[in-house]
Amino acid sequence: MLIKNAILDQIKAGEITLIFRRWRKCGVKAGGTQMTQRGVMGIDAVDVVTERKITASDAAAAGFGSKAELLASMPPASDDTDIYRIGVHWVGEDPRKALRAD
């Protein structure tokens, strides 16, 4: 899952706790972690949702001003994709940095 640096910075600051993706197949699982270009992000929950079930508070938790903005940021719907609501938190720096220092 590619995440823009600005979004990662907001996750790290605790400002963003949800990410939405439209995928054919989910690429993450609850309880796992995702290595990113900024460090390690934790995956708290993964749920398949419909556009109708996305709330204004979901949009705010994802860093958007409205549900409409969130939906506009995703690729168009197709029959073979689902919307995934992914709960996230910041875990920490890339552990490989410490290994390189040794």
Side-chain angles (χ1 to χ4, degrees):
M1 166 170 46
L2 184 60
I3 303 170
K4 294 179 181 179
N5 288 337
I7 301 297
L8 290 170
D9 291 341
Q10 290 179 290
I11 293 169
K12 188 174 182 177
E15 298 166 1
I16 288 181
T17 57
L18 288 177
I19 294 176
F20 287 83
R21 292 290 186 264
R22 193 182 301 272
W23 288 329
R24 288 187 191 127
K25 181 180 174 190
C26 187
V28 296
K29 64 180 181 176
T33 58
Q34 179 75 38
M35 191 70 72
T36 72
Q37 63 272 22
R38 293 273 203 234
V40 182
M41 179 181 70
I43 309 298
D44 298 321
V46 179
D47 300 299
V48 176
V49 296
T50 61
E51 287 185 10
R52 182 181 233 186
K53 290 197 176 204
I54 297 171
T55 65
S57 62
D58 287 339
F64 292 92
S66 68
K67 176 180 173 177
E69 284 180 30
L70 185 153
L71 293 174
S73 75
M74 292 192 290
S78 72
D79 291 341
D80 62 346
T81 60
D82 291 311
I83 298 173
Y84 292 88
R85 179 177 48 211
I86 305 163
V88 297
H89 70 277
W90 189 252
V91 172
E93 296 301 318
D94 185 337
R96 296 174 294 185
K97 285 183 180 179
L99 294 173
R100 279 185 287 219
D102 286 344

